[in-house]
Amino acid sequence: MFNQRKNDTIIGAAGTTLGLIYHQTVYNLRNDHRNAIVGLLLTIMQSLIFVAAFMLFFLFFKVRTSPIRGDFILYLLSGVFMFMAHTQASGAVAGSHSVSGGLVKHEPLNPAILIASAAMAVLYRQTVSCIAILGLYHVVIAPIHFDYWPGSLGMYLLAWFSGACTGLVFLGIRPWSPRGSKLVTTAYQRINMFASGKMFVANVIPNAMLPWFLWNPLFHIIDQQRGFVFINYTPLKTDPLYALWFSLAAMMIGLLINFTTRKYESLSWNAAG
């Protein structure tokens, strides 16, 4: 895994870096659970539990049909999958490494590889979970039809990417305040339980309440996702470009914080925190 030979070409260096990201991603997947299949099953069950919880929530309020004309379960899945990819990516990147971690001491590895592998592990797990759940639903319950599947896939990847970029900011402040970083990361994930808009449709929200949700890139992503999934729904109050620009801005801020922090970070910080 750790190749000590230096690469003289850009292609060789890129190949070495991609190989390290691959092996570290596999390590992250194995680290969550010794059995990879069991780990994937646990991820699938987590998504199913979220769907079941939201179904019970809607049934409690006697809402048995989708706010959008279409499949009610697909309406729930379109929000849950985006939420899971976003929050899991932010949490994984925020806790991807620390200066006192053992893997950082190996010279071929660097923070960029650890960050990328943490994000890729989440993408792999969530993608397999989505495919398994949608495939099972398509075969056993009802056929699934996406109005425009390339756009739906793009929103899914954007949800994952925006979560990873947000986690990069949390990772940057972690050495300065480890407990504060964990608290902010957890608070962000909990706020998204409601502020992501996965339980309602953005078009029906009163304009007076929109500012409470429009700041959130995941709110835009989920609403646009439903526009690509359902032929009868056209998003009017959200913009996918906002989520993209927000993600790129968060990535740049996170990189600046991490580069600056690396100049001052030391082992004694974590020992004291």
Side-chain angles (χ1 to χ4, degrees):
M1 176 177 176
F2 301 111
N3 184 8
Q4 298 292 342
R5 292 177 298 178
K6 294 184 178 180
N7 298 281
D8 297 330
T9 64
I10 296 177
I11 297 177
T16 300
T17 300
L18 291 176
L20 288 171
I21 292 175
Y22 168 76
H23 288 292
Q24 185 61 29
T25 300
V26 174
Y27 172 81
N28 289 337
L29 293 171
R30 293 282 187 178
N31 194 41
D32 288 341
H33 198 281
R34 184 174 300 178
N35 190 311
I37 297 178
V38 175
L40 291 175
L41 290 176
L42 291 175
T43 302
I44 294 172
M45 287 301 300
Q46 188 178 20
S47 298
L48 290 176
I49 290 173
F50 265 91
V51 174
F54 287 123
M55 284 187 63
L56 292 176
F57 176 82
F58 281 111
L59 290 176
F60 177 78
F61 287 99
K62 298 182 180 180
V63 179
R64 301 184 180 182
T65 58
S66 171
I68 304 172
R69 190 169 59 181
D71 194 330
F72 180 55
I73 300 299
L74 192 57
Y75 166 78
L76 294 179
L77 292 176
S78 64
V80 170
F81 287 159
M82 302 303 105
F83 171 79
M84 295 294 292
H86 184 87
T87 57
Q88 292 290 330
S90 64
V93 172
S96 58
H97 74 278
S98 65
V99 69
S100 60
L103 288 175
V104 183
K105 297 179 176 64
H106 293 278
E107 184 178 349
L109 285 179
N110 56 61
I113 293 174
L114 296 175
I115 292 170
S117 61
M120 291 301 298
V122 171
L123 180 62
Y124 175 79
R125 283 197 303 265
Q126 294 302 321
T127 301
V128 172
S129 174
C130 293
I131 294 174
I133 294 175
L134 290 175
L136 183 64
Y137 184 80
H138 180 80
V139 173
V140 177
I141 301 177
I144 293 177
H145 173 73
F146 285 13
D147 180 44
Y148 185 65
W149 71 264
S152 178
L153 177 61
M155 290 300 102
Y156 171 75
L157 294 176
L158 183 57
W160 165 77
F161 177 70
S162 62
C165 293
T166 306
L168 194 61
V169 177
F170 300 149
L171 176 64
I173 64 177
R174 181 180 177 184
W176 301 92
S177 178
R179 295 180 181 177
S181 176
K182 292 181 181 179
L183 180 61
V184 172
T185 304
T186 303
Y188 178 76
Q189 293 173 340
R190 297 297 181 267
I191 290 173
N192 267 320
M193 290 288 293
F194 177 74
S196 61
K198 63 181 178 294
M199 295 185 294
F200 46 83
V201 179
N203 283 1
V204 301
I205 298 177
N207 291 332
M209 296 183 61
L210 275 178
W212 293 92
F213 303 96
L214 288 179
W215 63 270
N216 192 352
L218 188 57
F219 175 76
H220 294 258
I221 292 171
I222 291 178
D223 190 54
Q224 293 293 321
Q225 174 70 271
R226 287 166 176 163
F228 291 122
V229 171
F230 297 98
I231 193 172
N232 300 306
Y233 182 69
T234 301
L236 301 176
K237 299 181 179 180
T238 56
D239 185 0
L241 291 180
Y242 170 83
L244 177 61
W245 290 119
F246 182 97
S247 302
L248 294 176
M251 181 178 67
M252 296 306 298
I253 293 173
L255 289 175
L256 288 173
I257 296 175
N258 280 277
F259 287 149
T260 303
T261 302
R262 204 167 301 149
K263 297 179 181 179
Y264 304 101
E265 190 177 27
S266 65
L267 293 174
S268 60
W269 283 18
N270 285 349

